[in-house]
Amino acid sequence: MDSTALLEGLTARQIEAVITDGAPLAIIAGAGSGKTRVLTRRIAYRVATGDMDPRHVLALTFTRKAAGELRSRLAGLGVRDQVAAGTFHAIAFAQLRRHWADTGKPVPTLLERKVGLLARLAGPSGARGASGPQPIDLAAEIEWAKARCITPDAYEQAVGDIGRRPPLAAGAMASIYERYELEKRRRGLVDFDDLLMACVTALETDSAFAARQRWQFRHLFVDEVQDLNPAQARLLAGWRGTHNDLCVVGDPNQAIYSWNGADPTYLREFPQREAGATVVVLDDNFRSSPQILGVADAVLACGPGAKQASLRPNRPDGPVPTVRSYATDRDEARGIARAVRDAHQPGRPWSNLAVLTRTNAQLVVFEEAFRAADIPYRVRGGGAFLDRPEVQSALVELQHGSGPFDARLTDLAAIARPEVSDDGPLSGAGPAQERQAALVELVRLGHEYRSLDASGTAEGFVAWLTTTLQRNDGTGGPSDVVELSTFHAAKGLEWEVVFLAGLEQGLVPIGHAKQDEEIDEERRLLYVAMTRAEQKLHCSWSAERTFGSRAVPRRPSPWLAEIDAARAALGDGNRPGPDWRAHLAEQRSRLRAADGGAGPARSKRAGGQVPGHAGLNADPDILAALKKWRSTAARAAGVPAYVIFHDTTLAIVAETRPRDRRALLALPGLGPVKAERYGDTLLQLVAEHVA
């Protein structure tokens, strides 16, 4: 393709990223900034101008889907057949196969799944249905260690240094890890994680092999580099050698995989680590409306370690994102199902709509609600509930166990160990916690089935589940379906209308996130989810959620306060003016002043009471009248009192005694939705007690 044609349709900043001769080069590409377009155009441009030979190009990414898109884009630009493009694992395996053949070494057999081998090593404690750690959890822990280049002999100290809680005691886990490695060697096996380190070892110890690879691949390109883990970084360094021609593309604000080994500091510290590095920032967003970007940016910017995205919108104005609360998680699912059906209009297919939640287990109630509403859907990331291996295994146990169905369900509840607090499940974000949450959901469905059929059986439960959650692709075909997805699985995707559900404390942020860096990653994850929306974004939470057989009162995510502040700053939905960020900063300052400087996240985690001095000088008569009114309103709505207003918010109203709607909106905890719904009543109650 002609080099000039490759620059058509690009912005000035994108052109700079394509044509710069800076090396090494980091392209910081914000959400919706066209990063894949820029990366593939840069490769094609340099080939077209004779700046590099495509046969010496290596383009790397992290998933087969992303690699497929990369190859497709390059094919469209006429350079696919000459450029090597693939995942780290695929490229490493291809190089190792040739290396083993050249050196006459026996080619090891690839162990595609660790579970079978680990089940035998773990013994009875790893048996299906037992209360001990499952083999799949042991496999996930070994993968975590290998991503960080942690060997079995270093494992125990490594997890102790960071305070990690493995599925077994650290010493026992290290022992299984070591036995696993020995058994693989005895059988002549390698797993996928071994491919990376085997290639690293060959590059570091075999100078001839290293020279061949570095001669072959002189121009390195890495997409989504914020997802790079230490093992991959070491492999990249081995491939690179002393070459300076390295281009990395990524976004620190979309670094959301630290639990899986990713280390975003590689990108963040790129200019400091690489002498003479060039950095180009792509800060135009071509996906989301100005209103969606404004609210998403507000969430991202308020963390102690986060940086404001400040992306420039390039789409027309849209409505201000909405926030809504529901009495229960079932009500939330049914309400969103109705809203999805209303949003499905001529010219807007089902596939333009998505529902996103923090965990896969939360999607189960949406499968139920969409099935009941005859809305076609597809579950992305983890698969539909009935397709999940742990659910299928548990259902087999239920059908073949002994005793009445109630007793079997009780046994399953004991295995699931649904430890919950007012903040929700005391769990993390990794695969083991997701599997436990899925079993908790299965227990909940079991109790629901028993409430419908007191004499129900395990076989009847399975039949009821199949009817309730059966996949429904509708008449529009399998491609025209509403996507149900987790925040993580939605990364890289986009929809016209997005519903973010379950924005509750204990889920957003997830309950296990305690340290500032963990909270920051949770903020980035919410930011990623919000920026999947193009035109409309709807946020919601429920005042009660059922875990297993227990209904637990919920509190809204502390970040809904930031969302409300941004919504208030955006006003009536017109394009944000030049001073809207200043307005938002003022709203946020008011929130933090009421927080005693702690910020919404920490104050809410401290038990729902905002520390500091806000509200301490509340007028007792006004406060009593406000609380009496709140109790009546809560009973009428069938929700806990704090869903109407928190005690601190009422105390601040009683202290400041606002006289008009503008003064009311300036108070923390009072966004435009609540001001519209309850504002006149609050102002009237205050006026009745002010001389």
Side-chain angles (χ1 to χ4, degrees), residues 188-339:
L189 302 173
V190 294
D191 61 30
F192 281 104
D193 305 300
D194 294 331
L195 299 177
L196 300 185
M197 291 312 297
C199 197
V200 166
T201 300
L203 289 165
E204 294 178 349
T205 61
D206 188 327
S207 58
F209 173 75
R212 284 195 301 273
Q213 304 313 317
R214 293 166 188 166
W215 179 88
Q216 176 69 43
F217 300 118
R218 310 170 198 176
H219 317 287
L220 300 177
F221 296 81
V222 185
D223 193 14
E224 300 283 14
V225 76
Q226 77 276 354
D227 296 338
L228 196 72
N229 67 39
Q232 292 160 337
R234 191 170 165 185
L235 179 55
L236 179 62
W239 280 330
R240 179 184 176 188
T242 59
H243 291 322
N244 213 33
D245 196 354
L246 170 68
C247 171
V248 301
V249 184
D251 181 9
N253 290 326
Q254 297 187 74
I256 58 174
Y257 292 112
S258 67
W259 59 269
N260 202 28
D263 183 3
T265 59
Y266 182 90
L267 178 58
R268 289 187 187 132
E269 298 173 0
F270 192 86
Q272 293 74 36
R273 187 182 61 256
E274 300 285 349
T278 297
V279 177
V280 178
V281 178
L282 304 181
D283 52 7
D284 281 296
N285 177 282
F286 301 96
R287 177 187 299 144
S288 303
S289 72
Q291 289 72 23
I292 291 171
L293 283 183
V295 174
D297 194 17
V299 168
L300 186 69
C302 63
K307 293 184 178 179
Q308 197 160 335
S310 301
L311 296 175
R312 288 192 296 268
N314 284 264
R315 289 184 66 95
D317 286 309
V320 173
T322 67
V323 176
R324 182 172 180 181
S325 63
Y326 292 88
T328 70
D329 52 343
R330 303 294 295 278
D331 291 333
E332 182 181 35
R334 287 190 288 260
I336 289 178
R338 289 191 295 270

Side-chain angles (χ1 to χ4, degrees), residues 590-661:
R590 291 178 181 274
L591 284 170
R592 288 177 175 166
D595 246 355
R602 271 174 284 192
S603 66
K604 297 292 185 182
R605 288 201 306 275
Q609 299 298 324
V610 179
H613 303 291
L616 290 183
N617 297 316
D619 183 301
D621 294 334
I622 297 178
L623 183 57
L626 291 172
K627 287 186 175 181
K628 181 179 180 181
W629 161 79
R630 181 185 63 176
S631 296
T632 302
R635 282 195 301 272
V639 298
Y642 64 78
V643 173
I644 306 296
F645 281 116
H646 195 277
D647 283 351
T648 305
T649 304
L650 295 185
I652 293 172
V653 172
E655 180 180 70
T656 58
R657 294 180 284 184
R659 299 295 187 97
D660 53 37
R661 184 68 64 88

Side-chain angles (χ1 to χ4, degrees), residues 497-546:
V497 182
V498 170
F499 295 84
L500 299 187
L503 299 187
E504 299 151 20
Q505 187 167 339
L507 290 169
V508 182
I510 200 71
H512 84 290
K514 303 298 182 185
Q515 304 302 318
D516 281 348
E517 60 270 20
E518 295 171 329
I519 294 293
D520 275 346
E521 179 158 329
E522 289 291 305
R523 287 186 187 278
R524 294 194 298 270
L525 183 56
L526 178 56
Y527 170 79
V528 166
M530 298 175 84
T531 54
R532 300 310 94 196
E534 297 173 351
Q535 295 182 18
K536 296 182 179 180
L537 176 65
H538 303 288
C539 305
S540 63
W541 66 283
S542 64
E544 181 181 281
R545 186 170 294 276
T546 300

Side-chain angles (χ1 to χ4, degrees), residues 252-570:
N253 290 326
Q254 297 187 74
I256 58 174
Y257 292 112
S258 67
W259 59 269
N260 202 28
D263 183 3
T265 59
Y266 182 90
L267 178 58
R268 289 187 187 132
E269 298 173 0
F270 192 86
Q272 293 74 36
R273 187 182 61 256
E274 300 285 349
T278 297
V279 177
V280 178
V281 178
L282 304 181
D283 52 7
D284 281 296
N285 177 282
F286 301 96
R287 177 187 299 144
S288 303
S289 72
Q291 289 72 23
I292 291 171
L293 283 183
V295 174
D297 194 17
V299 168
L300 186 69
C302 63
K307 293 184 178 179
Q308 197 160 335
S310 301
L311 296 175
R312 288 192 296 268
N314 284 264
R315 289 184 66 95
D317 286 309
V320 173
T322 67
V323 176
R324 182 172 180 181
S325 63
Y326 292 88
T328 70
D329 52 343
R330 303 294 295 278
D331 291 333
E332 182 181 35
R334 287 190 288 260
I336 289 178
R338 289 191 295 270
V340 165
R341 182 166 291 286
D342 291 342
H344 178 239
Q345 302 168 350
R348 181 184 289 153
W350 294 114
S351 57
N352 280 9
L353 309 168
V355 178
L356 310 182
T357 62
R358 175 61 179 84
T359 69
N360 198 280
Q362 292 171 262
L363 294 174
V364 179
V365 292
F366 290 96
E367 291 190 60
E368 294 179 69
F370 280 37
R371 171 71 176 167
D374 197 29
I375 295 174
Y377 68 88
R378 174 173 53 223
V379 180
R380 178 182 293 272
F385 185 71
L386 293 182
D387 295 337
R388 293 176 66 90
E390 63 274 17
V391 172
Q392 293 180 349
S393 177
L395 290 176
V396 170
E397 294 292 332
L398 281 173
Q399 292 182 88
H400 293 89
S402 59
F405 176 63
D406 280 352
R408 300 183 208 177
L409 192 62
T410 300
D411 290 343
L412 177 60
I415 294 170
R417 299 190 301 277
E419 302 174 29
V420 295
S421 69
D422 288 346
D423 285 345
L426 298 178
S427 63
Q433 290 78 15
E434 276 285 342
R435 286 187 289 277
Q436 179 180 337
L439 293 181
V440 171
E441 278 299 304
L442 188 61
V443 171
R444 179 187 69 78
L445 290 166
H447 285 290
E448 181 180 338
Y449 166 69
R450 289 290 287 110
S451 70
L452 298 172
D453 184 356
S455 59
T457 64
E459 291 73 18
F461 176 46
V462 173
W464 177 80
L465 273 179
T466 303
T467 302
T468 303
L469 299 180
Q470 180 182 346
R471 187 71 59 84
N472 177 12
D473 287 334
T475 57
S479 62
D480 189 25
V481 294
V482 179
E483 293 278 4
L484 305 182
S485 175
T486 63
F487 291 0
H488 280 102
K491 184 173 177 289
L493 303 174
E494 57 191 42
W495 296 273
E496 186 178 327
V497 182
V498 170
F499 295 84
L500 299 187
L503 299 187
E504 299 151 20
Q505 187 167 339
L507 290 169
V508 182
I510 200 71
H512 84 290
K514 303 298 182 185
Q515 304 302 318
D516 281 348
E517 60 270 20
E518 295 171 329
I519 294 293
D520 275 346
E521 179 158 329
E522 289 291 305
R523 287 186 187 278
R524 294 194 298 270
L525 183 56
L526 178 56
Y527 170 79
V528 166
M530 298 175 84
T531 54
R532 300 310 94 196
E534 297 173 351
Q535 295 182 18
K536 296 182 179 180
L537 176 65
H538 303 288
C539 305
S540 63
W541 66 283
S542 64
E544 181 181 281
R545 186 170 294 276
T546 300
F547 298 102
S549 60
R550 179 182 172 191
V552 180
R554 308 292 287 161
R555 293 195 291 272
S557 166
W559 298 331
L560 283 173
E562 293 290 342
I563 291 174
D564 270 338
R567 283 158 29 84
L570 288 168

Side-chain angles (χ1 to χ4, degrees), residues 141 144-145 148 150-166 169-175 177:
E141 186 67 11
W144 173 88
R148 291 162 175 77
I150 298 171
T151 58
D153 59 333
Y155 173 84
E156 189 170 0
Q157 180 174 340
V159 297
D161 289 344
I162 64 173
R164 181 175 176 81
R165 296 175 57 187
M173 186 68 229
S175 176
Y177 184 8

